[in-house]
Amino acid sequence: MSSISTVGAVAVVPAAKARRQRFRFVANKKAAAGLIILGIYVLLAIVGPWIAPYDPGARGDQLVQPPSAEHWMGTTHLGQDVFSQLLAGTRSVVFVGFFAGIVATVLSVLIGVTAGYVGGKTDEGLSALSNVFLVIPALPLIIIITSALSSAEDWLIALVIGLTSWSWNARVLRAQTLSLRRRDFVEAARATGERTWRVIVFELLPNLTAVIASGFVGTVIFAVLSEITLAFIGVTSNTTWNWGTILFWAQGQQALAQNAWWWFVPAGLAIAVLGTALSLINFGIDEFVSPRLRSAGKTKVKTTSGQTVRMRIGFTPVIRKEVSK
Amino acid sequence: MKYFLQRLAFYAFTAWAAITLNFLIPRMVPGDPVQSLITKYQGQLSSQAIDSLYVLFGLDRDMSVGEEYVKYWQQLFRGDLGLSFTFFPTPVSEIISDSLPWTLWLVGITTVISFAIGTGLGVLAGWRRGSWTDGLLPVTTFLSSVPYFWLGIIAIYLFTGPDSFLPSSGGADIGLEPAWDQWFVPSAIQHGLLPALTILVSSVSGWILSMRNMMVTVSSEDYITVAHAKGLSDRRVALGYAARNALLPNVSGFALSLGFIVGGTLLVEIVFSYPGVGFQLFQALGAQDYPLMQGVFLVITISVLIANLLADVAYLLLDPRTRKEG
């Protein structure tokens, strides 16, 4: 992968420049858009249950009503307010996403970096372990585990998702560590007698930041989708709401047959927008690490002689600006 | 050949791990969720069936875990996955063998088509970076962020109805027996069209993105410049030089992400009430039918392992370097 060389290059940026470059990641439009949307979701996760106009579980006398001034997103078969359910459900979704993301990321760093750095038999064992988890279909495994649990609280579901979804990141981290461990600065640290944990924490991890971050974001996407899927098929805690619960009831109460689109459309869109925001952040990270992946803008260029030339890939997009001026 | 044997050993190991997990999970759970189900069916279960359940769920306190484990394997080799609670007293293996072909056709065909289309579009998007193809990326990102099952619900809402050609549920018209004849096959295709399209739309974007990124990376290699310099046609450089090399990581990525994809596609079956293993898993979940759930998990895992093996064979054929060593 080409990102390997660029990751190394980030480390050689002189210290004087570091301050100015700190916010370069946010300057990426995709990443900035993603971060803003994610920020709104996190905010709603904190205040959502408080600002919800109704109690999400409270029954009303308006059954399966389309959106109105009173109920912005209509009502369910019990007269519950869909908008309140959506707001109250955000907390559970964001919590499970981040908690599972953190669990999986910690595991993948521990296993992936250790396997890559230590090598030998340890590497073989840990690699086999992560490959096994990678190949076993995660969702059916999660369903099997959670269905065997007597209660399916949010943190428990998040833990199960985290414990089963670390393998992909571990694999990527291992590959990246392998390419870093023979670099001069790591050799130098080892030669000066640094302890193994110190080399890993202070020499390797800073250079793996981008990979770890993008792995974390990817796991959050997976965890959110898994939690909603589990809730949709009925594996969820009975006390809290999340978007999957809304879809579960909508499906169970034949919302489709009743033409009650307001019941299932908002929850799905909420998931899609959150997922898109997280993907945008990941694109931002990818493009930050490997600038070549950026969308190139216009590649058809009119030369001074009036001919149209299409720029080939393999050149960096910067060339375009110089020609057009 | 050495490569192939290594992979084979790895899959055997993974299968062993999955089966052992399946054996251990009910035993690690505090409490005894299955005991109540056994008492519920006490009058109807034959002593042999109860015996088999005891082994499957580790309720036999007289036996050591080691002995249970050996007995569990013996049952598996006889194809005995226990009796289903929901469809009592049908054996789980019978239910699964009825529903597995549906899933294999639907998921198998759509996954391969999705990979082919996605890779093709990815080649285009990577080679013609900066043209309209860049517009594909935001659209596909949005589609891939949507849960498969929700897209299925929307598809049913929009495209099915009393006078629509596309049916909203089932695998074929009621009353038709699965057979290779002129009544069943068209009906099955008609019923499978919408679920297949749903899976296709939501899974294709991942392939587009990874292939595009690989194409962009490969395109700046020296051998591409050389190919251009030799005066080869743009098309030949794109397909014969760039795409051919960019394909390799995508194929191995295909194998590795099968587990993720299959999990998502099972959900589409639930929404469409498609008679495959995903729908069975859903019904088993609702009825707390543990033997059926575990059986479905095992069968899905083994299928994914076999698919992985096939992807490895494809890789072996595509990449000469893996052949040279053996």
Side-chain angles (χ1 to χ4, degrees), chain B residues 14-37:
Chain B
T14 312
W16 169 80
I19 291 168
T20 307
L21 264 179
N22 214 3
F23 169 81
L24 285 177
I25 287 168
R27 282 166 181 75
M28 291 193 299
V29 177
D32 210 344
V34 194
Q35 187 63 59
S36 59
L37 285 159

Side-chain angles (χ1 to χ4, degrees), chain A residues 135 148 264 292 294 312-313, chain B residues 29 129-130 150 219 234 305:
Chain A
V135 173
F264 53 82
R292 219 182 275 148
R294 285 176 199 162
R312 282 190 200 287
I313 38 178
Chain B
V29 177
R129 200 171 54 137
W150 188 73
S219 300
D234 198 49
L305 289 185

Side-chain angles (χ1 to χ4, degrees), chain B residues 19 32 35 37 48 70 73 85 105 112 117 130 139 150 166 181 193 209 234 264 282 286 316:
Chain B
I19 291 168
D32 210 344
Q35 187 63 59
L37 285 159
Q48 201 190 351
V70 172
W73 270 100
F85 290 143
W105 282 106
V112 171
I117 294 180
V139 179
W150 188 73
L166 296 162
D181 55 25
L193 215 53
L209 190 73
D234 198 49
F282 175 61
L316 206 64

Side-chain angles (χ1 to χ4, degrees), chain A residues 40-114:
Chain A
I40 294 170
Y41 272 92
V42 171
L43 191 70
L44 283 181
I46 298 168
V47 301
W50 299 324
I51 60 166
Y54 299 86
D55 179 351
R59 301 177 180 203
D61 42 12
Q62 297 184 331
L63 309 182
V64 200
Q65 288 301 309
S68 60
E70 208 178 330
H71 297 284
W72 288 4
M73 290 180 186
T75 57
T76 70
H77 66 298
L78 296 175
Q80 297 153 327
D81 184 46
V82 176
F83 183 55
S84 301
Q85 293 184 344
L86 199 67
L87 280 177
T90 314
R91 183 177 287 181
S92 157
V93 171
V94 171
F95 168 75
V96 170
F98 276 82
F99 187 55
I102 291 168
V103 170
T105 307
V106 169
L107 270 177
S108 64
V109 170
L110 283 178
I111 292 174
V113 176
T114 313

Side-chain angles (χ1 to χ4, degrees), chain A residues 131 134-135 139 144 147-148 171 229 232 256 259 261 264-265 268 275-276 279 283 292-294 297 299 312-313, chain B residues 10 29 126 129-130 141-142 145 149-150 157 209 212-213 216 219-220 228 234 256 260 263 267 290 293 305:
Chain A
N131 281 336
L134 202 56
V135 173
L139 200 62
I144 288 287
S147 65
R171 198 183 148 93
T229 306
F232 176 68
L256 275 173
N259 260 351
W261 54 267
F264 53 82
V265 169
T276 310
S279 305
F283 286 167
R292 219 182 275 148
L293 296 177
R294 285 176 199 162
T299 44
R312 282 190 200 287
I313 38 178
Chain B
F10 166 68
V29 177
R129 200 171 54 137
T141 311
F142 182 76
S145 311
F149 65 86
W150 188 73
Y157 182 69
L209 190 73
R212 172 190 180 266
N213 287 357
V216 170
S219 300
S220 53
H228 277 306
D234 198 49
L256 290 171
F260 287 101
L267 269 295
Y290 292 95
M293 265 192 270
L305 289 185

